[in-house]
Amino acid sequence: GQQLNQSPQSMFIQEGEDVSMNCTSSSIFNTWLWYKQDPGEGPVLLIALYKAGELTSNGRLTAQFGITRKDSFLNISASIPSDVGIYFCAGQNSNTGNQFYFGTGTSLTVIP
Amino acid sequence: DVKVTQSSRYLVKRTGEKVFLECVQDMDHENMFWYRQDPGLGLRLIYFSYDVKMKEKGDIPEGYSVSREKKERFSLILESASTNQTSMYLCASSSGQGASPLHFGNGTRLTVT
């Protein structure tokens, strides 16, 4: 199955810094999702995007649906220790099926 | 809030055993999915179901089967567990309405010895 390219693979940042990560695909999607997974837990949905160019925020998190429909971006502003975890992107093209394809994740460590 | 419940958080089984992983969702979702998650490989789709008694193979169905006798319950079966099936298993559900996001359970960490 298709796998999305997610970068960076890992990040180590100081508390208070901003974070950016992105996801790219070789094919177009009409839905992009961003999830966060804490150790030993299942992924939790952060933001859902349904339209090219869409910019959506959830607290300190902002995600964008790229205008090419082949990429998406997640930004976290003013990071705090509880932002630690693995962030996943997922994309779907509902015109070709209901399957979601996932990135390999970005592991975020926040140093207090 | 959608709740997806996986019956076990941790399981340890022996090679050759038949293993059942159970998943229940409480939002009347049509779609249910089983993924496995391995370091460096991300989430890989094993099987999914769009309706009761219906199942479709995902990307890595070999060594697995599924059962969906009721809308709320989707079971993953390892007919004869092997050590390479040691993994984190994640169940998810979604509504059948258009592009609906996946909601995940907390996962089952399976170790096959």
Side-chain angles (χ1 to χ4, degrees), chain A residues 50-70:
Chain A
Y50 298 108
K51 199 167 148 185
E54 181 181 353
L55 190 71
T56 298
S57 293
N58 177 4
R60 292 177 296 105
L61 278 64
T62 302
Q64 183 161 24
F65 193 137
I67 56 172
T68 66
R69 296 172 63 193
K70 291 185 177 182

Side-chain angles (χ1 to χ4, degrees), chain B residues 3 13-14 19 28-29 33 40 42 47 50 54 56 65 77 87 89-90 99 107 109:
Chain B
K3 193 159 176 67
K13 297 291 182 181
R14 293 192 183 274
V19 181
D28 202 35
H29 280 171
F33 305 81
Y47 267 97
Y50 292 149
M54 177 266 172
E56 294 279 349
S65 61
I77 303 154
S87 187
Y89 289 88
L90 291 164
R109 171 77 62 185

